[in-house]
Every structure is written in structure tokens, then in C-alpha cells.
Amino acid sequence: MVKPGLYSALVAGAALLAVPAHAQNPRRAPRVEAATPLSFGKIAAGTLAGTVTVSPDGAQSCTGVRCLGGARAAQFTITGAKDYLVAITLSPATLSNGQGATMPASFVASSATMVLRPGNNKNPFTVGGTLRIAARQPEGSYAGTYMVTVDYL
């Protein structure tokens, strides 16, 4: 009998603001604030590989592993120049348990682009992702960081 592993995976987003040097925009770079980190939740896995996906709206689905709840999408806001279009890109990440075991993760924003609202309004977006769990992945609590890049278009 194989004892299933229990995992908890939390990923924090780090904001990176990019304004191209050739930009025709005389305004300041947009400001990104992280409000809530992404959590893949608690996961029970066995001897087979699997994936856990959390959509940008927070829905969790599992393949090859069992979801035990606690998943949530990340929440961010962007503040910037009125009516400017921005692109949102997200880097992949490697989650670690601090003892050498890792799991790769990829991420998706609720919108790849957005037009910023006027004034100091915070323009919200969410982030989901997919976590890949290896066969016989060591159990534990895994954490990592991904980059959120916002560019004026």
C-alpha cells in the first residue's frame, strides 16, 4: 500500500514594471500591487504524476492527484495613466519545499491586456496557474515566486 503524499503549494507574485525605452508615453510606469497570493491548495498524490490547475476565477481541477481544497487565484491591481493599453505577462516558476524537491508551475492572467481606467482607480486582474506534480513527488509545503510584467503598448 502506498501512502499518498500531502502537498500544499503557495505561490507569491512579484511585480515587475517594464516601460520600453522607445515608448512614446511621457507618463509614469504603471504600478502593480499584489493583494492575494495564488494557492494551488492541499493536494493528495500517490505514485503517478499529475497536475493541479487553478483558473483565474479560482476554480480548481486535478488530474492524477486528489484536490483537498484551499485553492484560490491571485489578485492584483494596476494603477496607471488613463486610457492607456497595457500588456500583462507572467513568468513560469519552480516551487520548492526547501529540501531540494521542486515542481514546475506556469501561470495565466484573467486578461492579457487591459485599458487603464482614469484617475487613481485600481484596475483589478487575477492570476491562475498549472502545477505539475511528478510521480512519487516528496510531500511537503512548496512555495515559489513568479514575475508579473506590465508594459504600455
Side-chain angles (χ1 to χ4, degrees):
M1 177 178 195
V2 176
K3 178 184 172 200
L6 184 61
Y7 309 95
S8 177
L10 178 68
V11 184
L16 173 67
L17 306 175
V19 179
H22 64 279
Q24 300 279 324
N25 181 3
R27 301 186 190 255
R28 285 199 248 157
R31 188 174 79 237
V32 179
E33 295 178 40
T36 305
L38 171 66
S39 176
F40 288 100
K42 290 186 180 180
I43 306 147
T47 58
L48 301 176
T51 61
V52 176
T53 300
V54 176
S55 69
D57 67 5
Q60 181 186 48
S61 63
C62 293
T63 304
V65 296
R66 194 172 52 163
C67 294
L68 301 175
R72 70 174 175 266
Q75 296 179 355
F76 291 87
T77 59
I78 302 172
T79 305
K82 172 186 172 189
D83 296 333
Y84 274 83
L85 181 65
V86 295
I88 302 166
T89 55
L90 308 164
S91 71
T94 300
L95 279 63
S96 171
N97 69 353
Q99 298 175 359
T102 61
M103 292 187 276
S106 58
F107 305 95
V108 61
S110 54
S111 178
T113 61
M114 86 171 39
V115 175
L116 301 180
R117 294 183 304 205
N120 288 325
N121 287 325
K122 294 184 178 193
N123 301 270
F125 70 97
T126 57
V127 172
T130 299
L131 180 65
R132 302 198 188 305
I133 301 167
R136 301 188 193 282
Q137 181 80 37
E139 67 181 71
S141 190
Y142 288 73
T145 303
Y146 59 97
M147 299 301 291
V148 177
T149 305
V150 177
D151 284 309
Y152 282 116
L153 295 179

